[in-house]
């Protein structure tokens, strides 16, 4: 399998190497010999196919040997990721090595944290533990694994209390038995990674592994997943991301470039969390997951169609809004200048993401040119009916978001005038959804009647400013009301070139971006 590919590093996905020999290292340790001898071979085979260099398999390691093998990973420099697979005995948050000595999970994690292993800083470290419950005697250390003074600690070290550990993903499978016939975890991993599921993001992929494990052996196995500040998406087999190639020859657009009337502030800061107020109310949606939800941010700053103007300033707008929503606790995916085909694929992928099932809200933001208030343009100039966007998130088409607040924000620049403004959202299944439009109309020169090339900016600045100042305190519809008031009172908008329109609002409760607001 050829792994000479490149995935651009972005803010959402861990990067992959450019034309390197391999994409990572997998360390496999089997302290359940001879029970899991075939398991180590199968995992070595599947991870090799996925482009990993294999260290081991090593068998029946002592405590010192185990720590030494993990410590050797600190010398790696080219890896985009590291996988550590361990078969062995253990209890609570400890491994028991072949010399009956204990190794705390945290001792392994801290070996590869950013402080102790700068070569792997910012790169994903994946631990997979197959642990058979240990009932024997543990050899006590002169200095215990958690630095207590006298005896081996039996209380598990809480991983969430150690902030230095970052970019670490842990799958732990505990077995009531000895795995005498081999590991069902291996079989589940092997089946899933051999299938097309190997191209899925790590978190839902591991949920599939857990389900497959229970199908293979319903009793005697328990699974646990931990993520230590695992901040981005990770793919064993990265999906192909098509690039939009700019036209090779200059185009002569109808309106060459739209210029901003005002400059967006370079940095907007959400009010610090220590200033947040706590307010319990039964009239608020629960919005306390981490992250609060997934944001799909679609932005168009350049168009390949010669009939559409480019809007280079929108690069700054998209980055500003992306940064602001991240500060509000959301995970943002920013996609730019999509064709119709790429747009449809992105919407399909977003609505089908399994993370919606465990997160409390969702947002879609679209910044671009519009034919009218119900139709946006894609990069090649095709028209996309917005009703097709809205219906992606009905309870029928996206059941994972049923009962959860969904916010759709459209910043649309109208290119045609005197088109009827219609209400396109009437679907009763589109519950718990708030659709907000910020419509910008281009100013025409009186003498010529032509567009003067200046794009109004007050509305977008107003919304960003209110979000930055009041996201800690007010619910969303109040924030929009304040932005409307600020826009209405701004003399730069005397010609009413920008308007906020609540196209559709089916929120049954208040929606707070601040997780400390609403329900306790």
């Amino acid at each position: 399998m050829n792994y000479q590919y490149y995935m651009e590093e972005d803010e959402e996905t861990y990067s992959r190497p450019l034309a390197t020999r391999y994409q990572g290292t997998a360390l496999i340790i089997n302290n359940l010999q001879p029970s899991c001898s075939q398991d180590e071979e199968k995992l070595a085979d599947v991870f090799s196919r996925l482009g990993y260099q294999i260290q081991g398999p090593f068998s029946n390691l002592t405590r010192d040997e185990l720590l030494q093998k993990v410590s050797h990973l600190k010398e790696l420099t080219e890896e985009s990721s590291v996988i550590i697979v361990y078969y062995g005995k253990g209890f609570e948050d400890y491994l028991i090595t072949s010399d009956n000595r204990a190794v705390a999970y945290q001792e392994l994690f801290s070996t590869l944290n950013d402080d102790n292993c700068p070569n792997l800083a910012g790169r994903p470290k994946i631990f997979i533990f197959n642990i058979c419950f240990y009932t024997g005697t543990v050899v006590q250390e002169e200095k215990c694994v958690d630095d207590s003074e006298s005896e081996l600690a039996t209380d598990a070290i809480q991983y969430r209390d150690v902030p230095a550990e970052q970019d670490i993903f842990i799958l732990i499978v505990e077995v009531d038995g000895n795995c005498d016939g081999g590991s069902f975890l291996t079989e589940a991993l092997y089946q899933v990674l051999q299938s097309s599921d190997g191209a899925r993001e790590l978190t839902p992929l591991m949920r599939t592994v857990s389900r497959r494990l229970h199908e293979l052996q319903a009793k005697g196995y328990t699974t646990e997943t931990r993520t230590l500040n695992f901040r981005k998406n990770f793919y064993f087999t990265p999906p192909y991301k098509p690039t939009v190639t700019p036209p090779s020859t200059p185009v002569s657009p109808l309106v060459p470039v739209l210029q901003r009337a005002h400059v967006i502030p370079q940095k907007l800061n959400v009010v610090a969390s220590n200033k947040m107020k706590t307010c319990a109310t039964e009239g608020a949606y629960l919005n306390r997951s981490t992250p609060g939800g997934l944001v799909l941010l679609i932005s168009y700053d350049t168009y390949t169609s010669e009939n559409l103007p480019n809007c280079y300033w929108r690069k700054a707008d998209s980055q500003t809004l992306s940064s602001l929503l991240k500060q509000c606790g959301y995970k943002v995916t920013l996609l730019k200048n999509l064709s119709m085909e790429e747009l449809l694929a992105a919407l399909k992928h977003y609505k089908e993401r399994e993370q919606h099932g465990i997160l409390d809200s969702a947002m879609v933001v679209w910044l671009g040119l519009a034919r009218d208030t119900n139709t946006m343009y894609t990069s090649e100039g095709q028209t996309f009916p917005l009703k097709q966007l809205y219906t992606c998130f009905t309870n029928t088409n996206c059941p994972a978001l049923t009962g959860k607040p969904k916010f759709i924000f459209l910043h649309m620049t109208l290119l045609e005038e005197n088109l009827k403004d219609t209400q396109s959202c009437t679907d009763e299944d589109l519950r718990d959804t708030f659709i907000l439009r910020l419509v910008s109309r281009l100013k025409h020169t009186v003498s010529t009647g032509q567009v003067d090339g200046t794009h109004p900016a007050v509305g977008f600045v107003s919304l960003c400013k209110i979000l930055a100042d009041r996201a800690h305190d007010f619910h969303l519809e109040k924030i929009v009301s304040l932005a409307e008031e600020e826009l209405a009172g701004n003399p730069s908008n005397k010609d009413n070139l920008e308007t906020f329109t609540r196209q559709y609002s089916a929120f049954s409760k208040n929606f707070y971006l601040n997780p400390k607001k609403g329900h306790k």
Side-chain angles (χ1 to χ4, degrees):
M1 186 176 294
N2 183 11
Y3 278 91
Q4 307 301 312
Y5 57 82
Y6 173 66
M7 172 175 275
E8 180 183 358
E9 182 173 10
D10 56 34
E11 295 181 348
E12 297 299 322
T13 305
Y14 288 103
S15 63
R16 285 291 191 271
L18 175 61
T20 58
R21 289 175 296 138
Y22 49 87
Q23 66 165 317
T25 291
L27 170 64
I28 301 176
I29 298 169
N30 181 10
N31 271 15
L32 289 179
Q33 280 281 24
S35 301
C36 295
S37 57
Q38 293 185 349
D39 296 85
E40 63 188 33
E41 295 173 4
K42 292 183 76 170
L43 283 194
D45 173 66
V46 74
F47 284 126
S48 295
R49 292 170 181 263
L50 291 171
Y52 283 83
Q53 180 175 260
I54 305 300
Q55 289 192 7
F58 300 104
S59 300
N60 300 323
L61 299 185
T62 64
R63 170 185 160 82
D64 292 341
E65 291 170 339
L66 169 61
L67 293 176
Q68 185 182 50
K69 295 298 183 186
V70 175
S71 184
H72 281 168
L73 298 176
K74 293 158 59 174
E75 301 172 5
L76 301 174
T77 58
E78 298 182 1
E79 273 65 18
S80 63
S81 59
V82 168
I83 301 170
I84 300 95
V85 181
Y86 182 86
Y87 299 93
K89 303 275 188 176
F91 67 94
E92 294 184 348
D93 272 18
Y94 293 91
L95 307 176
I96 305 300
T97 52
S98 61
D99 53 351
N100 293 333
R101 297 166 69 189
V103 180
Y105 292 176
Q106 188 56 54
E107 195 168 358
L108 298 179
F109 306 154
S110 62
T111 300
L112 301 183
N113 68 19
D114 289 359
D115 294 335
N116 295 326
C117 184
N119 283 345
L120 295 177
R123 306 181 191 184
K125 280 79 68 173
I126 300 167
F127 289 82
I128 301 173
F129 292 156
N130 185 107
I131 305 299
C132 295
F133 186 70
Y134 180 78
T135 57
T137 302
V138 177
V139 177
Q140 297 182 2
E141 308 294 325
E142 293 182 3
K143 185 176 181 180
C144 301
V145 294
D146 69 338
D147 292 330
S148 58
E149 296 181 356
S150 58
E151 60 182 2
L152 177 69
T154 57
D155 293 330
I157 296 176
Q158 296 300 312
Y159 64 90
R160 60 178 62 86
D161 294 333
V162 187
E165 271 59 276
Q166 301 189 62
D167 307 296
I168 293 177
F169 186 102
I170 307 121
L171 174 66
I172 303 170
V173 175
E174 296 182 348
V175 184
D176 291 335
N178 295 315
C179 292
D180 291 332
S183 167
F184 284 110
L185 170 62
T186 301
E187 187 61 31
L189 273 170
Y190 190 79
Q191 290 181 15
V192 172
L193 290 175
Q194 286 282 82
S195 71
S196 59
D197 285 342
R200 298 171 66 199
E201 199 273 324
L202 183 63
T203 300
L205 184 144
M206 287 305 183
R207 284 201 292 267
T208 301
V209 169
S210 295
R211 288 195 296 269
R212 188 67 55 84
L213 176 64
H214 289 295
E215 291 171 1
L216 294 169
Q217 177 67 43
K219 296 180 180 180
Y221 279 63
T222 58
T223 62
E224 178 186 1
T225 298
R226 305 178 183 180
T227 58
L228 307 191
N229 201 9
F230 204 79
R231 300 165 295 177
K232 302 181 182 182
N233 293 331
F234 175 83
Y235 298 88
F236 285 114
T237 306
Y240 172 66
K241 293 178 66 175
T243 57
V244 178
T245 305
S248 57
T249 57
V251 296
S252 301
L254 196 60
V255 183
V257 176
L258 294 182
Q259 302 295 334
R260 284 304 294 246
H262 295 79
V263 177
I264 291 289
Q266 291 299 309
K267 187 174 183 180
L268 292 170
N269 293 314
V270 177
V271 176
S273 60
N274 60 6
K275 294 183 180 179
M276 292 180 177
K277 301 176 182 178
T278 301
C279 176
T281 170
E282 294 181 355
Y285 290 101
L286 182 66
N287 193 31
R288 301 189 64 185
S289 62
T290 302
L294 304 178
V295 178
L296 177 62
L297 202 168
I298 302 165
S299 180
Y300 288 86
D301 52 69
T302 58
Y303 291 85
T304 57
S305 170
E306 63 179 14
N307 294 320
L308 298 177
N310 292 323
C311 314
Y312 297 124
W313 43 265
R314 203 164 259 138
K315 294 180 180 179
D317 283 7
S318 60
Q319 291 295 336
T320 296
L321 196 53
S322 174
S323 174
L324 190 55
L325 293 174
K326 287 176 183 177
Q327 291 178 69
C328 290
Y330 281 79
K331 186 174 183 179
V332 181
T333 298
L334 173 59
L335 302 177
K336 296 183 178 182
N337 308 321
L338 301 180
S339 66
M340 178 66 80
E341 181 180 0
E342 292 166 342
L343 173 64
L344 293 173
L347 291 174
K348 183 176 185 296
H349 175 70
Y350 177 79
K351 75 174 183 177
E352 293 178 352
R353 291 198 64 173
E354 292 188 8
Q355 282 182 281
H356 290 311
I358 60 174
L359 302 181
D360 288 339
S361 60
M363 295 188 199
V364 176
V365 179
W366 188 329
L367 314 176
L369 300 175
R371 176 180 179 272
D372 55 58
T373 53
N374 298 310
T375 312
M376 300 287 281
Y377 284 108
T378 57
S379 63
E380 74 275 47
Q382 292 195 54
T383 54
F384 182 84
L386 289 173
K387 188 172 184 180
Q388 192 171 345
L389 166 67
Y390 307 147
T391 54
C392 285
F393 306 103
T394 62
N395 293 345
T396 301
N397 292 330
C398 191
L401 291 174
T402 299
K404 301 177 182 180
K406 298 166 280 283
F407 176 47
I408 300 175
F409 172 54
L410 307 164
H411 185 194
M412 48 177 53
T413 304
L414 288 187
L415 295 186
E416 298 188 31
E417 294 290 338
N418 302 320
L419 291 173
K420 186 178 180 181
D421 186 358
T422 60
Q423 184 81 2
S424 62
C425 291
T426 57
D427 192 337
E428 293 182 359
D429 197 28
L430 197 64
R431 299 183 179 92
D432 305 294
T433 302
F434 180 24
I435 301 172
L436 175 70
R437 296 185 311 199
L438 171 57
V439 178
S440 299
R441 292 173 172 81
L442 300 178
K443 188 175 182 179
H444 291 70
T445 304
V446 175
S447 58
T448 64
Q450 300 298 314
V451 174
D452 71 1
T454 301
H455 191 282
V458 180
F460 185 78
V461 172
S462 298
L463 181 62
C464 288
K465 180 178 181 297
I466 299 300
L467 267 174
D469 291 343
R470 306 316 300 257
H472 70 288
D473 194 21
F474 290 155
H475 60 81
L476 180 62
E477 294 195 85
K478 177 64 174 177
I479 289 171
V480 172
S481 295
L482 291 175
E484 290 173 331
E485 293 174 10
E486 180 150 327
L487 176 61
N490 194 308
S492 299
N493 196 41
K494 62 181 180 180
D495 295 326
N496 200 33
L497 292 176
E498 295 183 274
T499 54
F500 283 104
T501 304
R502 305 180 191 213
Q503 179 170 345
Y504 185 82
S505 181
F507 275 179
S508 59
K509 302 176 183 180
N510 291 330
F511 172 44
Y512 290 91
L513 298 172
N514 171 13
K516 293 189 177 182
K517 298 291 287 187
H519 294 271
K520 283 187 176 180

